[in-house]
Amino acid sequence: MTFRAATTADIETLHALVESAYRGASAKVGWTHEADLLDGQRTDADELSDIINDKEQTITLAFIDDELAGCVNVSNRGDGRGYLGMLTVDPQRQAGGLGRQLIEVAEQGAASGFGARVMEMTVIAQRKELIAYYERRGYVLTSETRSFPLHDPRFGDAKRDDLYFVVMEKKLS
């Protein structure tokens, strides 16, 4: 397995991976999908390009046998805080440890690249099994919640109107 930072040349393949893991029938092959909660897109090429070109963010790609198998986005939130987002594993490769490895790479990158001492993430509150997964990786629920952009098609089409995010965090050593 190899890891490297995404470039704009990766956008098409990266976009296809993210959509396949989060939305639609292909996502339901894996266990981490949002397809029961949201339709529509998870991201688009413009957002991916913005992230890749932002010096305060990085998307790390994971390759197995030269095939894109996963990715994770890390952002610098300042004041020693990093943000982990867009953790994606090809649905055909889920439950094999790649997600855990991507989290570790993201945490190391946030600490060394941005001086992060704490990693933060948001998870849709209704995704209890995913929250439990992150808890097993050392993340804890905070008391903070954040609104979900229910009526913004850039984030998908919500199938229910009670979606919101919980905030989780982990101290980095």
Side-chain angles (χ1 to χ4, degrees), residues 3-65:
F3 298 95
R4 70 166 172 81
T7 68
T8 55
D10 298 309
I11 290 175
E12 185 177 336
T13 307
L14 175 59
H15 183 247
L17 172 71
V18 172
E19 295 302 314
S20 75
Y22 280 90
R23 303 287 199 275
S26 64
K28 290 184 178 185
V29 171
W31 68 272
T32 63
H33 66 84
E34 300 170 342
D36 294 333
L37 301 173
L38 296 151
D39 280 328
Q41 71 178 26
R42 166 60 175 81
T43 189
D44 58 32
D46 289 339
E47 179 186 24
L48 294 172
S49 178
D50 289 347
I51 293 169
I52 289 168
N53 290 309
D54 182 347
K55 65 182 176 83
E56 296 298 320
Q57 297 190 70
T58 187
I59 297 176
T60 299
L61 305 178
F63 293 88
I64 298 174
D65 299 327

Side-chain angles (χ1 to χ4, degrees), residues 144-161:
E144 185 179 355
T145 62
R146 296 184 186 155
S147 298
F148 186 89
L150 290 171
H151 305 293
D152 187 339
R154 291 178 304 153
F155 300 97
D157 301 318
K159 294 182 178 184
R160 44 193 290 184
D161 63 1

Side-chain angles (χ1 to χ4, degrees), residues 17 61-64 67-71 88-91 93 98 102:
L17 172 71
L61 305 178
F63 293 88
I64 298 174
E67 183 178 318
L68 182 60
C71 70
T88 306
V89 175
D90 178 333
R93 297 182 185 271
L98 179 55
L102 281 163

Side-chain angles (χ1 to χ4, degrees), residues 108-141:
Q108 292 166 1
S112 64
F114 302 131
R117 296 179 305 279
V118 175
M119 185 72 91
E120 173 184 284
M121 69 172 66
T122 55
V123 181
I124 296 173
Q126 289 79 0
R127 299 190 67 202
K128 302 298 184 199
E129 71 285 345
L130 190 56
I131 292 168
Y133 171 81
Y134 287 126
E135 287 175 329
R136 292 190 301 274
R137 304 279 128 4
Y139 286 81
V140 296
L141 286 165

